[in-house]
Amino acid sequence: MFTTYTLRLIGLLGLYFTNGSQAETTLIKNVTIINEYAELLEQPKNILIIDEIISKIGNFDTQADHIIDGQGKYLIPGLIDSHVHLKGVPGLRVDSVKDQELQRDGAKQIPRSYLYFGFTTVLDLASYSSFVSQWNAQVYAPEALYCTAMSILNGYPIVYSGEAASQLSSPMASYLLYDKNQSDEYPADYPVKEHLPEHLVKKAKKEGAICIKTFYEKGFGVKKNLPVPDLDLIRELKLYASQENMPLFLHANSTDAYQFASQTNVSVLAHGLWHSNGNDIKPLIKDIAHQDISVQLTLTVVEGELDLFDHSFFSSEEAHSAIPSSLINWYKSESGQWFKKILSSNVLNLQNNKQHETMKKKYDHVFQTLRKGVHSLLENNVNLVFGSDTPSGPIYTQFPGLNGFREIQAWARTGVDLKTLFKSLTIRNAELLGVQNRIGAIREGMQADLLLLNENPLVDVQAYNSIQTVFIDGLAIDRESLAAK
Ligand SMILES: [Zn+2]
């Protein structure tokens, strides 16, 4: 979309495209703007959008192709979620892809559901250029940006593709970081040089990635005691990523991983802290704060698993707005509940309401650790950036769009104040990704990715569900036209 943006700037000079077609204009009248400092501008303003660009903000009057009355309403930048996974439809079984219809219904609605809940930019933390270009060719879709994911041999998550030999021929293999501590695991003719940080970072940048993601995860479930990268490797990765102005994301959700992060000075921790070694976390969180490492809380990763056992999940209006009814029906069916059985087989013999209660108790400890972590992050003013990890696993409770909205609510419920939340959803993410001159704020010359809200999001978190109009690249879309139902 950078190219159309540049084109548009050229077009702005004469209000005409280079091909001669006339520019499209939209005027939003008398609207209350919330700026990037999460402050209400005192006087309502008029905003003129020419094609994709916010052309003028002030107390002027002018003709326009479309006029939108903003009286009593709030205008905010489109939301940015910097932790999503765009490929696939959550909760569908890999072996049931034969059910093409569900796959199609889901794939068609997913970009719209992101927009429905106000997300106009999403960052896929593990994608590649051809997929993202295809995604961005859709008109009714948030703009997608992506990171290249780099793991080590036998490490998380590439270990899920099988033995070393299968890993080396898997899709992630071309971006495997060479791990000198496992030198005897590689074939004799392995091209080591092509798997050193410098080479991989430059390759990722050239292909169009804007960031790098790597992992510190010793494993869970059936995969435990996995190898993790050493300090030298990730320090080197950070060095080359910085040279290319690419933030380095680290998958980290334990005190071990946070400790590792503080010694490697990565840019972002892609998860909240939910596995504690029992030590006092305050000194650790202070370190994270001092080094300007940003954190994504991803609260719905844990909540979403628990929500699978909540039989009222599909009764909300939001769920029906985000998820096509064909998928809801399948998710509710015996086969749609497959992942629940993997999470907890014994609890399923209990009555419905008992299941939820029992699982709540089982998850209580993780929630307590997570909440403690959030409070410590807030106390130490760690830079929180909004990332929801949509979806973190094959679970329908993290359906795109809906999950972002649930994550927003979870942040507020866990004690993040509404100003911080607003900035995390907009300007802080834009700054992290280096796109703050284009999106994340409402200023003349910026891309018109905007939300017109009926309520004030600095007063009530439910305001994020009061969207009237979504503007993507200057195109005004009535929210209800994006709903699944
Ligand atoms: Zn993720």
Side-chain angles (χ1 to χ4, degrees):
M1 292 204 180
F2 247 116
T3 46
T4 40
Y5 175 75
T6 320
L7 243 188
R8 197 53 49 94
L9 277 179
I10 297 164
L12 255 180
L13 299 172
L15 289 188
Y16 288 92
F17 264 120
T18 40
N19 67 9
S21 69
Q22 197 164 356
E24 183 103 350
T25 54
T26 302
L27 182 66
I28 310 170
K29 291 183 90 164
N30 294 314
V31 72
T32 300
I33 295 174
I34 303 183
N35 70 16
E36 65 257 52
Y37 308 107
E39 292 163 347
L40 287 185
L41 294 192
E42 269 175 31
Q43 300 286 326
K45 300 258 189 280
N46 289 351
I47 291 221
L48 177 67
I49 300 169
I50 301 178
D51 288 328
E52 302 174 338
I53 300 297
I54 300 170
S55 166
K56 201 171 172 188
I57 303 173
N59 299 311
F60 56 90
D61 208 9
T62 182
Q63 294 296 317
D65 301 326
H66 314 281
I67 297 197
I68 295 173
D69 181 13
Q71 182 116 42
K73 300 183 197 301
Y74 302 86
L75 194 69
I76 68 169
L79 309 181
I80 306 171
D81 188 338
S82 58
H83 190 160
V84 305
H85 302 280
L86 294 174
K87 210 172 179 189
V89 178
L92 291 189
R93 303 186 70 139
V94 183
D95 59 7
S96 88
V97 174
K98 66 176 189 295
D99 203 335
Q100 299 287 340
E101 223 165 282
L102 291 176
Q103 187 73 36
R104 252 199 320 269
D105 289 357
K108 198 173 147 204
Q109 178 58 33
I110 281 172
R112 292 170 172 264
S113 295
Y114 274 116
L115 293 177
Y116 182 88
F117 284 101
F119 294 95
T120 53
T121 306
V122 289
L123 178 73
D124 191 321
L125 284 195
S127 195
Y128 42 93
S129 154
S130 57
F131 177 83
V132 169
S133 328
Q134 253 179 0
W135 174 279
N136 284 334
Q138 306 172 101
V139 176
Y140 291 91
E143 178 182 4
L145 303 165
Y146 79 98
C147 297
T148 297
M150 301 183 185
S151 117
I152 59 165
L153 193 63
N154 298 316
Y156 178 86
I158 200 168
V159 68
Y160 288 100
S161 45
E163 296 299 309
S166 329
Q167 293 172 36
L168 290 170
S169 57
S170 71
M172 272 188 92
S174 59
Y175 278 107
L176 257 186
L177 285 164
Y178 179 71
D179 178 15
K180 64 178 191 306
N181 303 319
Q182 300 187 73
S183 54
D184 47 358
E185 287 280 311
Y186 297 87
D189 59 349
Y190 191 70
V192 173
K193 267 195 187 151
E194 288 168 28
H195 293 272
L196 299 178
E198 182 176 15
H199 182 88
L200 292 183
V201 167
K202 284 186 174 151
K203 184 165 98 164
K205 175 89 176 187
K206 204 170 153 202
E207 284 179 0
I210 64 153
C211 44
I212 306 294
K213 161 113 183 254
T214 192
F215 307 86
Y216 191 96
E217 174 63 71
K218 289 178 179 165
F220 44 82
V222 288
K223 302 277 185 203
K224 283 191 181 124
N225 304 316
L226 302 174
V228 287
D230 66 19
L231 290 169
D232 290 345
L233 180 60
I234 301 307
R235 283 177 183 148
E236 202 180 327
L237 185 61
K238 173 65 168 59
L239 178 78
Y240 289 109
S242 304
Q243 281 181 11
E244 301 291 342
N245 290 319
M246 297 167 94
L248 176 60
F249 286 67
L250 183 74
H251 164 99
N253 56 40
S254 61
T255 33
D256 274 6
Y258 269 51
Q259 195 84 54
F260 180 81
S262 75
Q263 291 170 280
T264 46
N265 198 17
V266 296
S267 322
V268 196
L269 302 180
H271 290 293
L273 185 60
W274 60 72
H275 291 301
S276 164
N277 60 10
N279 295 344
D280 182 13
I281 58 167
K282 276 180 201 151
L284 178 56
I285 301 299
K286 274 209 169 92
D287 269 1
I288 299 288
H290 282 154
Q291 294 182 50
D292 268 334
I293 298 174
S294 302
V295 175
Q296 304 181 323
L297 302 179
T298 65
L299 302 174
T300 52
V301 172
V302 185
E303 286 187 10
E305 286 187 9
L306 181 60
D307 289 339
L308 287 173
F309 297 87
D310 177 0
H311 287 258
S312 67
F313 179 79
F314 290 112
S315 60
S316 78
E317 195 166 322
E318 290 87 55
H320 288 267
S321 300
I323 314 173
S325 54
S326 59
L327 275 166
I328 291 184
N329 291 334
W330 185 78
Y331 290 149
K332 282 176 159 175
S333 74
E334 177 73 23
S335 28
Q337 300 277 309
W338 66 278
F339 192 69
K340 243 166 96 166
K341 291 175 194 149
I342 293 178
L343 276 181
S344 186
S345 51
N346 48 354
V347 81
L348 297 180
N349 306 324
L350 302 172
Q351 280 179 323
N352 286 350
N353 59 340
K354 281 266 165 57
Q355 286 182 16
H356 197 206
E357 285 310 309
T358 311
M359 290 307 280
K360 267 189 191 161
K361 280 185 197 132
K362 206 175 150 186
Y363 276 81
D364 193 49
H365 184 69
V366 180
F367 280 124
Q368 274 186 34
T369 311
L370 193 49
R371 270 195 298 270
K372 252 191 233 163
V374 175
H375 294 153
S376 188
L377 290 165
L378 288 170
E379 251 170 39
N380 289 288
N381 282 315
V382 170
N383 189 50
L384 299 181
V385 288
F386 187 86
S388 63
D389 197 5
T390 299
S392 63
I395 52 177
Y396 55 76
T397 47
Q398 287 190 300
F399 202 87
L402 175 65
N403 191 50
F405 176 61
R406 291 169 70 88
E407 179 76 19
I408 290 174
Q409 291 176 297
W411 281 42
R413 213 169 44 235
T414 316
V416 180
D417 68 278
L418 294 178
K419 268 192 164 203
T420 302
L421 180 55
F422 178 89
K423 288 188 275 188
S424 303
L425 277 158
T426 55
I427 192 68
R428 285 187 182 178
N429 258 333
E431 283 170 349
L432 171 72
L433 305 177
V435 291
Q436 72 274 23
N437 293 324
R438 185 164 66 91
I439 55 171
I442 302 178
R443 286 198 305 266
E444 290 178 0
M446 290 183 80
Q447 189 170 307
D449 287 359
L450 304 163
L451 305 178
L452 186 63
L453 307 180
N454 290 315
E455 286 156 43
N456 181 351
L458 303 179
V459 169
D460 184 351
V461 72
Q462 289 304 322
Y464 290 104
N465 200 19
S466 75
I467 301 169
Q468 179 193 300
T469 312
V470 179
F471 297 82
I472 176 110
D473 286 343
L475 175 69
I477 312 167
D478 173 37
R479 185 198 198 190
E480 280 317 309
S481 72
L482 296 162
K485 50 179 188 272

